């Protein structure tokens, strides 16, 4: 995914949010790129579906190319699914899946590896 918002994207965002484009260009550096792109992808998908010219899978493919995001990434956005990373490691705070969180009692693989590699006399 591209790191910076392009002027064209800000223009689309200004029409969606009904905000002055010049204002968005001025505050470009504080906008969350992921959230802005999420809004743009949702809107473009909905508009294309309403138009009815293309199939949904064709629209998804076009969005994949345009925004340089995987198919599953686009589907997560347009179908409003939640990724499986909702839990956080109790030691370092890294996001982990619910499955791993439950299986390893809330500790991520990296913290477990650190514990294994730690010499026995240093364990508390």
């Amino acid at each position: 995914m591209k790191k910076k918002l392009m002027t064209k994207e800000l223009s689309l965002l200004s029409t969606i949010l009904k905000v002055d484009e010049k204002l968005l260009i001025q505050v470009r550096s504080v906008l969350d790129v992921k959230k802005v792109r999420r809004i743009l992808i949702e809107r473009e998908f909905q508009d294309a579906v309403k138009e009815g010219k293309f199939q949904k899978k064709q629209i998804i493919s076009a969005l994949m190319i345009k925004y340089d995001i995987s198919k599953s990434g686009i589907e997560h956005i347009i179908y409003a699914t939640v990724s499986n990373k909702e839990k956080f490691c109790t030691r370092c705070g890294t996001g982990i899946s619910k499955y791993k969180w439950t299986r390893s009692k809330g500790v991520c693989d990296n913290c477990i590896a650190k514990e294994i590699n730690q010499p026995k006399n240093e364990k508390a």
Side-chain angles (χ1 to χ4, degrees):
M1 181 187 285
K2 300 171 193 161
K3 302 285 183 200
K4 289 176 64 178
L5 291 169
M6 308 310 282
T7 308
K8 189 176 182 180
E9 293 171 325
L10 292 173
S11 175
L12 288 170
L13 184 65
S14 72
T15 56
I16 292 170
L17 299 177
K18 296 178 177 87
V19 176
D20 186 35
E21 186 177 340
K22 291 178 184 175
L23 175 68
L24 289 177
I25 291 172
Q26 289 174 348
V27 296
R28 171 189 285 179
S29 61
V30 294
L31 293 174
D32 186 351
V33 177
K34 285 185 177 183
K35 288 183 181 180
V36 169
R37 292 232 168 89
R38 185 178 204 84
I39 291 169
L40 296 175
I41 289 169
E42 284 177 27
R43 175 56 74 92
E44 284 186 50
F45 180 78
Q46 294 304 325
D47 290 347
V49 168
K50 284 180 187 175
E51 229 178 89
K53 285 185 179 179
F54 304 104
Q55 296 176 353
K56 288 182 179 181
K57 65 181 180 179
Q58 293 169 327
I59 298 167
I60 291 171
S61 295
L63 291 171
M64 286 170 50
I65 294 167
K66 182 175 181 178
Y67 291 100
D68 192 27
I69 301 176
S70 67
K71 182 178 179 181
S72 64
I74 297 287
E75 288 174 343
H76 278 294
I77 293 168
I78 60 177
Y79 297 124
T81 57
V82 178
S83 72
N84 207 11
K85 283 193 173 185
E86 293 181 337
K87 299 288 186 178
F88 298 95
C89 175
T90 55
R91 294 187 186 166
C92 68
T94 305
I96 56 177
S97 67
K98 284 192 240 179
Y99 171 78
K100 282 195 176 192
W101 191 84
T102 306
R103 188 165 182 234
S104 61
K105 298 176 185 141
V107 182
C108 71
D109 291 340
N110 288 337
C111 290
I112 291 173
K114 287 177 188 174
E115 184 179 319
I116 292 170
N117 290 334
Q118 191 177 34
K120 291 182 181 183
N121 59 358
E122 289 185 19
K123 288 185 181 176

